[in-house]
Structures are given as C-alpha cells and as structure tokens.
Amino acid sequence: MFVEFLLLSVVSTAVGLQVSIPKAVYEVARDDNVTLPCTFKPAKPDNPTVIVTWTAIPDAGNPVPVGTFYYPTNHMDIKKEYTGRASMKVDVPAGKTDLILTRVTLQENMEFECDVKIPGDDEGVTLATTNLVVLVAPSKPMCKIQGTAEYGQNINLTCVSAEGSPPPTYSWQRHNVQNIPQPLPPRATNNNGLLSLYNVSMDTSGYYICTSRNKIRSEICNLTLTVMPPSMNIGSTAGIIGGCVAALLVLLIVIYCCCCRKKEQPEEYGVPEDVAFQDKEPLEKQGDPRDDRSERSYDRRDRRDEGSEVNGSTIDRRERYDDRGSDYSDRRDRYDDRRDRYDDRRDDYDDRRDRYNDRRDDYDDRRERYDDRRDRYDDRRDRYDDRRDDYDDRSERYDDRDRPPSVPPNKPQRIDYD
Ligand SMILES: *[C@@H]1O[C@H](CO)[C@@H](O)[C@H](O)[C@H]1NC(C)=O
Ligand SMILES: *[C@@H]1O[C@H](CO)[C@@H](O)[C@H](O)[C@H]1NC(C)=O
Ligand SMILES: *[C@@H]1O[C@H](CO)[C@@H](O)[C@H](O)[C@H]1NC(C)=O
Ligand SMILES: *[C@@H]1O[C@H](CO)[C@@H](O)[C@H](O)[C@H]1NC(C)=O
C-alpha cells in the first residue's frame, strides 16, 4: 500500500486537494458530546483510495491519532484510549469526515487535526486544525462573611466556586427582608467575588446574593448579614456565658468545701464515743428499778426477775468494768500527776542549780573585786609606807636642822671617840 501511495503521489495533479474545518474553535461543556466537522475536496473525483485521520495534538506531548478511516474498505481504527468515546462519520463522495467525541473531559481541551490522504493527490492543503475548548459550568459557590459584623467594622463577603472553565465571574446583589432588590451599600467594592463593606451599620444588614457565572451556566449562593452593636456580638456573649459558668463553678467548689469542713468538725471536737456511752448508762440504771416494779404486777414474775437479774448482772459487770476502767484512768491520772510533780521538782532543781551557778559566779566576781581592792589597798599601803619613810626622812632632816644648838651635830662622833 505504501509503495502504491508513493507511485500515485508522483503522478499527482496540479489542482490539488483542499481540506478545511469551518471553525477555528469549538466549545463544549464537560460531559457533553461534540462533533468536529472536516471537509475535503479532491483534485479529481472518483479516487480509488482515500485515508482520513483525526489526530489530537496536546499542548505538551506527542500527537495521538484518535481514529483512521480507510476507503473503500470502510475500515476504521480507533485508538485504544478513545474506544467507546470517539467515532468517525465519513462520507467520501460528499467529501465529509466528522469526529464525534462523547462525554468530553478537560483532557480533550486541545487542538485536533484532520488529515486526508489520497494517492496521487498530495498537492494543495491536505490537513486542517481546530481547537476544542472544554467548558466547565461553575460549581455552586460558597458565600462567607470575613470579619466581625459589628457597627463601625469593615467586613468582606466572599463568593467562590470551586471549579469553572473558563473561570467564572462573580456579582453581588442585595435584597431587603421582603426580598425586594436594593442597591449595595454606597462604599461597597466588588473585586472578583470579594465584596468589601466599610463602616457597617444596621443599614448594611440584608440578604446578599452572589451569582457565579461563565459562558455555559450560572450558580448562586446567598447569605443573611445581620450587623449588631459591639456589645451584642457572639464573641462577647460567649465570654459572658463562659465567665458566668466559671463563677458558678468556683461558687460550687466553695460551698462544697464549706460543707466538708462542717462535716469534719464534729469528728474532731465532738464528745468522744465512750463518754457518750457513760452518759447514757445512768438512764439505763434508772430504768431498771422501774422495770422491776412494773414486772411485779405480772404473773410470770420469776422468769422476768431472772431476766432482770441476768440483765442486772451484765449491767453490774459492765459497771465494774467501767469502774475498773475509771480506776485505771484514775491511777493513770495519779501517775501523770506524780510525773508532772516530778517534772516540776526537776524543773525546780534545775532552777536552783542555775541560781546556785549564778550565785557562784557572783561570788567569783565579788572575790575578784575583793582581790582588786586588796591589791589597791596594798598599793596604797606601800605608797603610805613610802610617804612615811619620806616623812621620817624629812623629820630627821628637820630635827637635824632645827634642834637647839645645845646638841652639837657632831656629838655621836664625839661619843665614838669617848
Ligand atoms: C452523547 O452521546 C451518547 C452516545 O452517542 C448519548 O447516549 C448521549 O445521550 C449523548 N449526550 C448528549 C448530552 O447528547
Ligand atoms: C477584606 O479584604 C481586604 C482585601 O483583600 C483585606 O485587606 C482585609 O483585611 C479584609 N478584611 C477582613 C475583615 O477580612
Ligand atoms: C461610620 O458611620 C457612622 C454613622 O453610621 C459615622 O458617624 C462615622 O463617622 C463613620 N466612620 C467612618 C470612619 O467613616
Ligand atoms: C439561599 O440559599 C439557600 C441555601 O443555600 C437556598 O436554599 C435558597 O433557595 C437560597 N435563596 C435564594 C433566594 O436564592
């Protein structure tokens, strides 16, 4: 066949083949069916062989032959990945070949080429291309409020469709409570779905509707804007509620603690159980004689008496036990007293000992002072002795000087000589 094609192409005519596609762009919504038409005009009619091929040419990657039709056998090859989705409708005598794509996807958003091969007719325009644009209707947009809807605040209303091809455009309208259209607030700006509202007030409240639209379809979302005074917003309300709950909790805890204290106090400072029991005892003792007296009037008095005796003996034993117990506690008290007295005496002894030590210290001090005084006295005595010596000397000298001349000063010398 290839050899045949080469031979035929050599003897091609001068007029040439003309292949064309009516439109440069075909639009289709995703999942819809589309027919890409292609026409061809051979140089001469009644060609024994015609081969028509549709090829998909992606922006990136290699061209993929979608389907090939062979005339006159009417054999059609469809590429595996298009099986069931692509078909060709070829009418060679009429010069028509359509590519039919069903349930188109966004992947078919590319160029398609129609290529016609007629042996001996390779001059002229043998192929034509067109662009398939797969459109996606806008999905239902999401309407949201950004910021706090409070008097004096600036807030944004947003509107976004998750998908849409070509990308949708967004517009906002406002309706009042009666659903009657109203103009948007004076300073509002709409920037591709972002509606900015400045210095909002009660007048800004209303019913806001966003329309997301592209060339196939449109979808809407809506929201109710309620602008509140600052004190009434949800945040502060939640804060107040939270505060109240916290205060209540604290109060409950305090009450619980107080109750616990009250319960504990009697256990700590209440009357001990044994004392309470002893207090009850006399009542029982008082009751016993009364019982005996009343029982005497009954016939079965003996048994009753026995019972009362038994009762009495247990009470006696109990009393004795209590007495012994009280004896023991008395003895113990006496022991404690004696011990206290011993401690007191010991303290006394310690005190006396301290006082003795003090006195001894005093005595030592006094003795030291006495020794000092004695030393001083000795000093003074020495000095006195000295002075006396002095005096004696001086008096001798006086005697020597002032003695009447009757006694000659050199008398002892004379005596020595005598
Ligand atoms: C697309 O084509 C298929 C099969 O040819 C058909 O069943 C379906 O209804 C068509 N869809 C539309 C939207 O025409
Ligand atoms: C509103 O949108 C503008 C522009 O994107 C932004 O600067 C501003 O912070 C937004 N305000 C709020 C409250 O989100
Ligand atoms: C906001 O609006 C109030 C009245 O609604 C007006 O008194 C105040 O001046 C406005 N503030 C600004 C910053 O525009
Ligand atoms: C507003 O939106 C709700 C839910 O999104 C919808 O049910 C209702 O029909 C919408 N109202 C208008 C007037 O579009």
Side-chain angles (χ1 to χ4, degrees):
M1 205 190 212
F2 184 67
V3 175
E4 203 177 62
F5 166 77
L6 281 178
L7 286 171
L8 287 169
S9 67
V10 170
V11 283
S12 62
T13 54
V15 180
L17 176 67
Q18 297 298 317
V19 177
S20 68
I21 295 174
K23 283 159 73 176
V25 174
Y26 288 84
E27 288 179 347
V28 60
R30 185 178 55 182
D31 293 331
D32 280 359
N33 300 339
V34 67
T35 298
L36 300 179
C38 177
T39 60
F40 60 92
K41 197 180 271 185
K44 58 178 179 59
D46 304 324
N47 291 293
T49 304
V50 177
I51 302 161
V52 183
T53 306
W54 273 98
T55 306
I57 303 166
D59 290 341
N62 296 319
V64 177
V66 178
T68 308
F69 183 84
Y70 299 93
Y71 176 85
T73 59
N74 294 340
H75 180 84
M76 187 162 62
D77 284 335
I78 299 291
K79 199 76 183 166
K80 211 193 305 177
E81 55 255 48
Y82 283 95
T83 304
R85 292 211 303 114
S87 63
M88 286 171 74
K89 195 173 145 195
V90 181
D91 184 349
V92 172
K96 282 182 176 179
T97 168
D98 296 346
L99 175 71
I100 299 155
L101 295 170
T102 59
R103 298 192 313 277
V104 295
T105 66
L106 287 172
Q107 278 73 50
E108 274 96 70
N109 214 341
M110 54 188 165
E111 195 176 52
F112 284 84
E113 185 186 85
C114 171
D115 183 1
V116 178
K117 288 180 173 68
I118 298 171
D121 195 359
D122 66 338
E123 296 298 319
V125 182
T126 61
L127 57 86
T129 61
T130 188
N131 284 293
L132 180 66
V133 174
V134 180
L135 305 175
V136 179
S139 58
K140 189 167 173 61
M142 293 280 290
C143 284
K144 279 183 188 162
I145 301 174
Q146 273 183 1
T148 329
E150 246 176 36
Y151 289 3
Q153 296 285 316
N154 300 333
I155 62 168
N156 295 330
L157 306 186
T158 61
C159 174
V160 179
S161 283
E163 61 176 8
S165 178
T169 57
Y170 304 93
S171 63
W172 282 97
Q173 287 97 41
R174 178 158 72 136
H175 289 195
N176 66 9
V177 187
Q178 288 79 36
N179 212 19
I180 295 163
Q182 268 187 314
L184 289 171
R187 285 177 63 198
T189 61
N190 180 9
N191 178 23
N192 200 25
L194 183 80
L195 183 73
S196 298
L197 303 171
Y198 300 97
N199 193 18
V200 296
S201 63
M202 196 138 71
D203 297 337
T204 322
S205 298
Y207 193 60
Y208 287 80
I209 300 161
C210 170
T211 306
S212 168
R213 188 196 312 272
N214 67 8
K215 55 177 72 178
I216 327 176
R217 249 182 305 232
S218 69
E219 283 282 351
I220 65 160
C221 64
N222 62 59
L223 57 79
T224 306
L225 178 66
T226 312
V227 182
M228 296 206 247
S231 58
M232 289 294 288
N233 70 33
I234 294 162
S236 67
T237 309
I240 289 162
I241 289 167
C244 287
V245 167
L248 205 69
L249 271 175
V250 168
L251 200 69
L252 282 173
I253 289 163
V254 166
I255 288 167
Y256 180 73
C257 288
C258 286
C259 287
C260 285
R261 282 262 175 82
K262 273 180 191 166
K263 261 187 216 165
E264 276 169 16
Q265 270 173 350
E267 282 172 19
E268 283 174 15
Y269 305 108
V271 185
E273 272 182 38
D274 49 349
V275 173
F277 179 73
Q278 281 171 4
D279 284 347
K280 254 186 264 167
E281 192 83 347
L283 278 174
E284 275 181 25
K285 269 189 264 170
Q286 281 171 5
D288 281 341
R290 220 195 307 148
D291 284 348
D292 285 348
R293 242 176 283 144
S294 61
E295 274 158 10
R296 264 168 220 149
S297 63
Y298 286 100
D299 291 340
R300 281 170 291 172
R301 158 188 154 186
D302 293 345
R303 218 195 291 169
R304 287 273 169 152
D305 285 345
E306 269 173 30
S308 69
E309 267 173 28
V310 168
N311 213 0
S313 68
T314 51
I315 285 161
D316 284 348
R317 247 180 277 152
R318 204 167 178 170
E319 274 174 359
R320 260 178 276 146
Y321 174 77
D322 287 338
D323 285 348
R324 254 181 273 155
S326 57
D327 270 359
Y328 172 72
S329 55
D330 284 349
R331 254 180 274 152
R332 206 190 156 136
D333 287 350
R334 265 177 273 143
Y335 171 73
D336 288 345
D337 284 350
R338 256 181 269 155
R339 205 180 154 151
D340 286 350
R341 266 179 273 146
Y342 172 73
D343 288 345
D344 286 349
R345 258 182 269 151
R346 206 184 153 146
D347 287 351
D348 265 4
Y349 173 72
D350 288 343
D351 283 351
R352 262 183 262 155
R353 200 174 153 158
D354 286 349
R355 267 179 271 146
Y356 171 72
N357 286 344
D358 286 350
R359 261 185 264 150
R360 205 180 150 150
D361 288 349
D362 265 5
Y363 174 72
D364 288 342
D365 283 352
R366 264 185 257 153
R367 201 174 153 159
E368 272 171 25
R369 266 180 272 146
Y370 173 72
D371 287 342
D372 283 352
R373 261 184 263 152
R374 205 177 147 154
D375 287 347
R376 266 180 272 146
Y377 174 73
D378 288 342
D379 283 353
R380 262 186 258 152
R381 205 176 149 158
D382 286 349
R383 265 181 274 145
Y384 175 74
D385 288 343
D386 287 350
R387 260 186 262 153
R388 208 177 144 157
D389 288 348
D390 268 7
Y391 176 75
D392 287 347
D393 283 351
R394 258 185 263 155
S395 69
E396 266 176 27
R397 263 180 274 145
Y398 175 74
D399 286 346
D400 285 346
R401 238 190 290 152
D402 294 337
R403 216 172 267 175
S406 57
V407 180
N410 52 354
K411 193 184 170 187
Q413 284 179 343
R414 268 191 201 166
I415 290 168
D416 282 353
Y417 283 106
D418 284 342

